[in-house]
Amino acid sequence: SGGEQSPCLFQFREDGFLVLEHFFTMEECDSMRNQIQRIIEEMEVPPHCRTEFSTKEEEQLQAQGSSDYFLTSGDKIRFFFEKGVLDERGNFLIPKEKSISKIGHALHAYDPVFKQITHCSKVQELGRKLGLERPVVVQSMYIFKVQPQGLSFVAVTPHQDATFLHTEPLGRVLGFWIALEDATRENGCLWFIPGSHTSGITRRMVRAAPGTSTCVEFVGSEPAYDDSQFIPLPISKGGLILIHGEVVHKSELNSSDSSRHVFTFHVMEAKDTSWSKENWLQPTPELPFPSLYT
């Protein structure tokens, strides 16, 4: 509709995020949860691939950076584990479904259930409402956020998605974050600084030069954010949060007994946009970034 903006889109451009409750049905959420159970049951993880996932910068560099497994996961379905769930030989200390932190980064391309959700007509219609002309899907993740037995789940420190998924110009990356269970303040819902998507980014994760000890490195630094500026966004099962690539967001520890399963994927407006060659994630001949519109 010409230059008109719906109140929703106006809100998204103001805040850098938008909450759409009940975007997906209970059945759609359950189909994703059931499918991930099947994927875990069939999971064969070679011990040398059992990388732990951490959000602290040094550990990120050490665990993910030294890990080819992470860097080459853009066109595969791979498993990343919580800290302390494996012994030195790489055997599970707790049930494996409680040991996984996330599964990434190509569920949207290779799994029929997640592919169908990513490209469903509701999502495509939303993309058109947002004015996306040539959106492509760059990555997807299933995030568990469980409270493993006797282990504390790490919080996800404040960050901007564009730190990891850089484009020229900025402002071309958008996250779709789907709650597959209620996300509450107790089990680790997202927190945002409204309006923080307008001043660019201060830190980038880039592929390191060949021959360095890590595969990725950080350039720049994350500023100290004022905790009082964050607002929590609890959302019910089936809700969708749209996340602007530069908005600052975080999630706290899951201090509850319930998990907080999420399926999330990132889309880039490919029209007049270049994807940074320095991003850890790169399209491959096997998987060029697929169009969101089918």
Side-chain angles (χ1 to χ4, degrees):
S1 53
E4 286 175 63
Q5 272 193 14
S6 71
C8 274
L9 296 192
F10 177 75
Q11 204 58 51
F12 177 67
R13 301 208 157 89
E14 284 289 286
D15 291 337
F17 58 84
L18 180 63
V19 176
L20 299 168
E21 285 278 10
H22 312 299
F23 191 86
F24 290 95
T25 64
M26 299 295 108
E27 293 72 31
E28 286 169 321
C29 293
D30 293 341
S31 73
M32 288 187 263
R33 293 200 59 188
N34 294 336
Q35 185 67 353
I36 220 72
Q37 274 316 116
R38 285 196 284 274
I39 289 173
I40 292 171
E41 277 156 27
E42 292 165 13
M43 165 177 80
E44 289 288 326
V45 190
H48 70 275
C49 290
R50 292 179 174 179
T51 54
E52 294 182 345
F53 177 65
S54 167
T55 54
K56 295 205 191 70
E57 195 163 310
E58 305 72 28
E59 291 172 16
Q60 245 175 352
L61 294 176
Q62 194 184 352
Q64 295 180 349
S66 61
S67 169
D68 201 38
Y69 186 70
F70 168 72
L71 272 194
T72 55
S73 64
D75 61 354
K76 297 177 191 69
I77 295 175
R78 287 188 167 169
F79 304 89
F80 300 90
F81 298 97
E82 292 291 6
K83 296 170 63 62
V85 299
L86 300 163
D87 65 18
E88 314 74 79
R89 292 193 300 285
N91 300 315
F92 290 104
L93 298 167
I94 62 171
K96 61 182 181 179
E97 62 280 0
K98 287 204 158 85
S99 66
I100 301 174
S101 159
K102 63 175 197 171
I103 297 178
H105 287 90
L107 285 160
H108 63 280
Y110 295 130
D111 180 88
V113 172
F114 292 99
K115 184 176 193 169
Q116 196 276 319
I117 292 285
T118 303
H119 297 278
C120 69
S121 52
K122 291 183 279 204
V123 167
Q124 297 195 23
E125 199 179 311
L126 181 55
R128 293 198 166 92
K129 275 190 189 145
L130 290 161
L132 299 175
E133 292 184 56
R134 286 197 13 234
V136 295
V137 186
V138 298
Q139 70 159 4
S140 56
M141 288 184 284
Y142 191 103
I143 303 168
F144 293 82
K145 193 88 173 181
V146 283
Q147 170 71 302
Q149 297 154 341
L151 302 165
S152 67
F153 181 90
V154 278
V156 176
T157 51
H159 67 283
Q160 298 166 291
D161 292 343
T163 285
F164 307 95
L165 308 172
H166 192 271
T167 58
E168 294 282 337
L170 280 171
R172 299 301 172 89
V173 169
L174 177 64
F176 289 70
W177 192 96
I178 306 161
L180 304 184
E181 300 178 274
D182 294 349
T184 63
R185 287 181 69 152
E186 292 68 43
N187 75 1
C189 70
L190 294 179
W191 294 66
F192 287 82
I193 300 181
S196 56
H197 60 302
T198 55
S199 34
I201 59 170
T202 56
R203 186 173 74 130
R204 284 187 61 188
M205 185 172 98
V206 298
R207 287 184 169 236
T212 26
S213 59
T214 59
C215 297
V216 291
E217 58 194 4
F218 284 95
V219 177
S221 58
E222 207 62 76
Y225 295 108
D226 173 359
D227 260 356
S228 67
Q229 291 189 299
F230 283 93
I231 62 160
L233 289 194
I235 187 166
S236 355
K237 177 177 175 175
L240 169 69
I241 301 180
L242 281 180
I243 304 175
H244 187 287
E246 281 100 90
V247 74
V248 178
H249 58 291
K250 65 174 182 176
S251 67
E252 299 293 347
L253 296 176
N254 179 352
S255 56
S256 77
D257 295 333
S258 52
S259 52
R260 190 221 64 187
H261 287 208
V262 164
F263 176 56
T264 176
F265 59 91
H266 284 90
V267 163
M268 170 180 74
E269 168 62 272
K271 184 173 189 273
D272 304 326
T273 307
S274 63
W275 179 256
S276 172
K277 293 263 185 281
E278 295 183 298
N279 286 340
W280 74 266
L281 174 78
Q282 294 296 326
T284 64
E286 294 73 36
L287 184 63
F289 293 149
S291 169
L292 180 68
Y293 301 150
T294 44

